[in-house]
Amino acid sequence: EDQVTQSPEALRLQEGESSSLNCSYTVSGLRGLFWYRQDPGKGPEFLFTLYSAGEEKEKERLKATLTKKESFLHITAPKPEDSATYLCAVQAAGSYIPTFGRGTSLIVHP
Amino acid sequence: SAVISQKPSRDICQRGTSLTIQCQVDSQVTMMFWYRQQPGQSLTLIATANQGSEATYESGFVIDKFPISRPNLTFSTLTVSNMSPEDSSIYLCSVTSGRANTGELFFGEGSRLTVL
């Protein structure tokens, strides 16, 4: 059974304080690993897809990396507007739907 | 990108009643999904809404409790039947991005149901 574990559950940062969110996964053949951002009262918003170990994707202050067992979402010099819940999901080979983790709630204080 | 509208955005319901959630997409899509998001829990897929045929339900979800309609390629409804407080949750409609990888999803803003 595919499993996704995200840590920490919650993270508070000061503006400008860089950090990383972790997504550990177990899947029978990885088809893709996905990161989403979810603001309060909104649906998740797709950020990145990573396909193979060693791959990296960047968007503004966010960079996602992937190994064979985990993915990191690095946040460089975060701003208050980066506050949100970040969701990780994995899709197994042969499956058309992803399995989601519980998310990390990020709060960035000015 | 697809724009997805859900109605209602929130509702408070009485135990034993049923509520239907509507999902409208601004373009034709092949695959539409209904998810449930309970506090502190991961997004859980309820079912895949198939146009012209019965929905495909995930383990733990049944048609009698969550009947789904998909009359065309832009619209779907999810009904939560005979509600109990355990059904209090956010229900989300989603569609694939249209790219090859179906894990890239667009979501509606969700329908927050509270059952008293």
Side-chain angles (χ1 to χ4, degrees):
Chain A
E1 183 179 332
D2 303 336
Q3 289 191 336
V4 180
T5 303
Q6 291 189 246
S7 60
E9 289 186 13
L11 181 62
R12 292 177 179 269
L13 300 173
Q14 288 298 125
E15 184 172 3
E17 179 187 2
S18 301
S19 188
S20 297
L21 313 182
N22 177 263
C23 172
S24 298
Y25 65 90
T26 305
V27 65
S28 54
L30 181 69
R31 183 177 178 186
L33 182 141
F34 314 93
W35 283 98
Y36 288 81
R37 169 189 171 129
Q38 186 172 22
D39 293 299
K42 305 280 188 181
E45 175 188 354
F46 169 74
L47 292 173
F48 304 111
T49 303
L50 300 168
Y51 293 100
S52 58
E55 188 175 1
E56 298 183 352
K57 293 275 179 73
E58 285 189 67
K59 181 179 181 179
E60 297 181 356
R61 293 175 293 282
L62 302 176
K63 183 169 79 172
T65 62
L66 181 64
T67 72
K68 289 188 177 181
K69 295 182 178 179
E70 57 191 351
S71 176
F72 291 94
L73 185 65
H74 305 279
I75 303 176
T76 302
K79 298 182 178 182
E81 52 262 43
D82 294 321
S83 298
T85 295
Y86 291 86
L87 303 174
C88 174
V90 297
Q91 186 177 15
S95 172
Y96 67 93
I97 54 171
T99 299
F100 283 84
R102 297 186 179 187
T104 293
S105 173
L106 173 66
I107 297 176
V108 182
H109 296 284
Chain B
S1 64
V3 176
I4 304 172
S5 302
Q6 277 188 241
K7 290 194 295 187
S9 58
R10 58 178 62 231
D11 207 336
I12 299 173
C13 307
Q14 295 299 316
R15 181 194 299 260
T17 63
S18 299
L19 182 79
T20 295
I21 303 167
Q22 299 180 2
C23 176
Q24 178 74 53
V25 187
D26 68 342
S27 58
Q28 292 186 340
V29 293
T30 304
M31 304 186 82
M32 292 180 73
F33 307 97
W34 286 99
Y35 280 87
R36 183 173 72 183
Q37 188 174 35
Q38 296 180 308
Q41 302 298 315
S42 59
L43 276 169
T44 303
L45 182 65
I46 297 171
T48 302
N50 303 309
Q51 195 267 332
S53 64
E54 200 169 277
T56 305
Y57 289 84
E58 298 300 306
S59 176
F61 298 97
V62 296
I63 187 171
D64 290 345
K65 177 67 176 177
F66 298 100
I68 288 171
S69 78
R70 177 90 192 269
N72 56 52
L73 292 176
T74 64
F75 186 79
S76 178
T77 67
L78 169 74
T79 298
V80 186
S81 303
N82 187 24
M83 286 184 286
S84 66
E86 293 71 37
D87 295 318
S88 297
S89 186
I90 299 172
Y91 294 86
L92 292 150
C93 171
S94 76
V95 303
T96 56
S97 68
R99 295 189 226 177
N101 195 315
T102 56
E104 298 175 1
L105 301 170
F106 294 111
F107 287 86
E109 298 206 337
S111 299
R112 180 183 293 271
L113 301 189
T114 302
V115 184
L116 303 177

